[in-house]
Amino acid sequence: AQKITQTQPGMFVQEKEAVTLDCTYDTSDQSYGLFWYKQPSSGEMIFLIYQGSYDEQNATEGRYSLNFQKARKSANLVISASQLGDSAMYFCAMRGDRSASKIIFGSGTRLSIRP
Amino acid sequence: DAGVTQSPTHLIKTRGQQVTLRCSPKSGHDTVSWYQQALGQGPQFIFQYYEEEERQRGNFPDRFSGHQFPNYSSELNVNALLLGDSALYLCASSSYRVNMNTEAFFGQGTRLTVV
């Protein structure tokens, strides 16, 4: 069975600082994908970044980077130079090796950016 | 190119009633998955439809049923509504026969309130 664990229910960060959101996962699959999503109060699930289990380099997308440590089964999200608009819920998620595989989500981290 | 669209955006129903939620997948996608997100939690997988058949199912009672149409759009039906069915219902689309893909597309969700 697959499982995602996010141990930080909430975080406060000063604007322009970097922030790391923790995520650990458990799976017996050899091939899988890891995602991070941002969910503002409107409810829409916004895709941020993806890491494949066989990708040797950490994924980066603009201010977002994913610190992937396969041996430790961790996939932390790093947001550089945080902005007020980054305040939202953030979910770490995992999917099997097919695009149609179901997605397993963690419980989320509520990030609040202070001006 | 329209993304995943869901309707309605908000819905209020009375306990015991039945509800139907609708989802149109992103152009080029043939698979629709439904998720339930209770307040303060991560989304939970309900079921997935491909070729008008239910392919995978999460741990949800038979009161939750679905349908997929020839144009790949999908409906989620919930019978005998309970107060605990109040949640944000998210739809995601994908391509069934595509191997690992870097994104999973979600709609904006339908917020269901049962009173």
Side-chain angles (χ1 to χ4, degrees):
Chain A
Q2 296 178 326
K3 185 178 181 180
I4 295 284
T5 301
Q6 295 180 254
T7 58
Q8 305 155 310
M11 291 187 69
F12 287 89
V13 173
Q14 205 67 30
E15 188 180 9
K16 299 182 183 178
E17 289 185 348
V19 56
T20 297
L21 305 182
D22 295 340
C23 172
T24 58
Y25 63 91
D26 191 20
T27 181
S28 56
D29 291 345
Q30 294 300 310
S31 179
Y32 50 89
L34 295 159
F35 300 81
W36 277 91
Y37 287 89
K38 173 184 178 181
Q39 188 177 46
S41 56
S42 62
E44 183 182 4
M45 197 67 75
I46 301 170
F47 166 79
L48 295 179
I49 196 166
Y50 166 87
Q51 178 85 41
S53 58
Y54 286 109
D55 294 339
E56 294 185 354
Q57 290 193 334
N58 288 341
T60 60
E61 290 284 351
R63 294 187 299 113
Y64 305 106
S65 60
L66 197 152
N67 185 1
F68 180 48
Q69 299 187 41
K70 193 171 183 177
R72 293 186 176 185
K73 293 189 174 180
S74 74
N76 298 340
L77 176 70
V78 180
I79 306 174
S80 63
S82 58
Q83 302 171 357
L84 295 179
D86 293 334
S87 294
M89 281 291 289
Y90 288 80
F91 290 97
C92 180
M94 168 189 291
R95 187 182 65 193
D97 63 354
R98 300 194 63 81
S99 293
S101 300
K102 67 181 180 183
I103 299 174
I104 305 298
F105 287 85
S107 55
T109 295
R110 180 169 295 282
L111 177 64
S112 299
I113 308 298
R114 293 179 172 138
Chain B
D1 178 24
V4 182
T5 58
Q6 293 186 242
S7 64
T9 54
H10 294 81
L11 203 52
I12 300 175
K13 288 287 189 179
T14 303
R15 192 171 41 181
Q17 285 188 317
Q18 178 264 347
V19 68
T20 297
L21 311 182
R22 295 176 176 83
C23 173
S24 293
K26 178 179 169 63
S27 178
H29 285 178
D30 54 16
T31 303
V32 172
S33 301
W34 288 92
Y35 294 80
Q36 180 196 64
Q37 185 179 16
L39 193 64
Q41 298 181 22
Q44 300 291 317
F45 176 75
I46 302 174
F47 45 52
Q48 178 190 86
Y49 276 83
Y50 168 67
E51 289 187 335
E52 303 180 45
E53 289 188 12
E54 183 181 293
R55 299 291 176 164
Q56 299 181 66
R57 190 178 182 92
N59 188 25
F60 280 81
D62 292 344
R63 296 186 298 108
F64 289 78
S65 63
H67 188 76
Q68 185 179 36
F69 299 93
N71 67 352
Y72 308 121
S73 67
S74 175
E75 289 182 348
L76 163 66
N77 301 294
V78 186
N79 294 323
L81 284 167
L82 304 174
L83 296 179
D85 295 331
S86 295
L88 179 68
Y89 289 84
L90 294 163
C91 168
S93 77
S94 56
S95 298
Y96 195 80
R97 299 196 181 280
V98 173
N99 286 328
M100 189 68 79
N101 202 353
T102 60
E103 293 189 33
F105 298 90
F106 283 84
Q108 82 281 12
T110 294
R111 196 170 297 275
L112 172 65
T113 302
V114 182
V115 297

